[in-house]
Amino acid sequence: AVEEPTADAAIGNVTGSNSVNVFLGLGLPWMIASIYWAAEGQTGPWRDKYPELKDKYKDGGFAVIAGDLVFSVIIFTLCSVTALAVIVYRRRAFQAELGGPKGVKTNTAIFFVMLWLFYVALASWKVQTPDADEGMQVVATIVGVMGIGVGMVVIAGIIHCISGMRSAQQAAAKDHIE
């Protein structure tokens, strides 16, 4: 991948391995659970856990109650589309999806980490706040986007200060040697 002029192979590898993780990581356990519960049928604990389903599904079954998944998928899609848009922009502007000029690649790395933290924070918030209505979800999303901006400024500032201190130390060491 180092010799490639673009990061297509690396991005394809990451996308492919994540797809396999999702399809096997979710699909295989769900298939096993479906087979198990089809064979097991309704049990006392199953009826206690899913009282609203016991009359609808007389034979029992593997139940996955919808809830926080919609919000999580919307936020994940927002993050994914944003990340892909950044990669496309970087290819056009800098001819480099993941590398390129020092400041640009550093800021892009910070942005991608903040985007990941945004997703994890909002998905976690939704799990902890299951009764949040759509208005609260929109506000949480806006606060998260603002958090990305603030986080980028703070982290970039810290990196800039550290880089400046290193440059000053190197210059002082060079002056001391001469």
Side-chain angles (χ1 to χ4, degrees):
V2 173
E3 302 297 324
E4 293 293 321
T6 65
D8 291 347
I11 292 171
N13 185 14
V14 168
T15 306
S17 66
N18 284 339
S19 297
V20 169
N21 291 343
V22 168
F23 297 143
L24 285 178
L26 291 176
L28 193 59
W30 282 24
M31 182 186 73
I32 292 168
S34 296
I35 293 168
Y36 172 81
W37 284 108
E40 187 71 20
Q42 267 197 30
T43 62
W46 188 92
R47 284 189 292 278
D48 293 341
K49 186 170 184 175
Y50 306 110
E52 68 279 359
L53 298 178
K54 67 181 179 184
D55 294 330
K56 188 174 182 179
Y57 300 101
K58 303 258 187 239
D59 295 332
F62 177 53
V64 178
I65 305 300
D68 299 330
L69 189 59
V70 172
F71 179 73
S72 182
V73 168
I74 289 170
I75 297 302
F76 180 80
T77 302
L78 178 70
C79 291
S80 299
V81 168
T82 302
L84 290 173
V86 167
I87 289 171
V88 168
Y89 168 75
R90 285 179 49 82
R91 175 177 275 188
R92 290 186 179 149
F94 307 108
Q95 290 76 42
E97 294 87 355
L98 302 175
K102 184 177 182 180
V104 174
K105 70 180 172 185
T106 301
N107 285 327
T108 301
I110 295 169
F111 178 70
F112 284 162
V113 169
M114 294 304 297
L115 205 58
W116 174 76
L117 289 172
F118 168 76
Y119 171 74
V120 170
L122 283 180
S124 300
W125 170 81
K126 183 62 174 104
V127 169
Q128 297 298 319
T129 317
D131 298 330
D133 63 3
E134 288 82 8
M136 285 179 67
Q137 293 174 17
V138 169
V139 169
T141 304
I142 291 169
V143 169
V145 168
M146 291 169 40
I148 290 173
V150 170
M152 284 193 66
V153 169
V154 168
I155 294 170
I158 291 169
I159 290 172
H160 181 72
C161 288
I162 291 171
S163 178
M165 288 188 310
R166 283 188 183 160
S167 296
Q169 287 174 345
Q170 289 173 351
K174 186 177 178 184
D175 289 343
H176 183 68
I177 291 174
E178 295 174 355

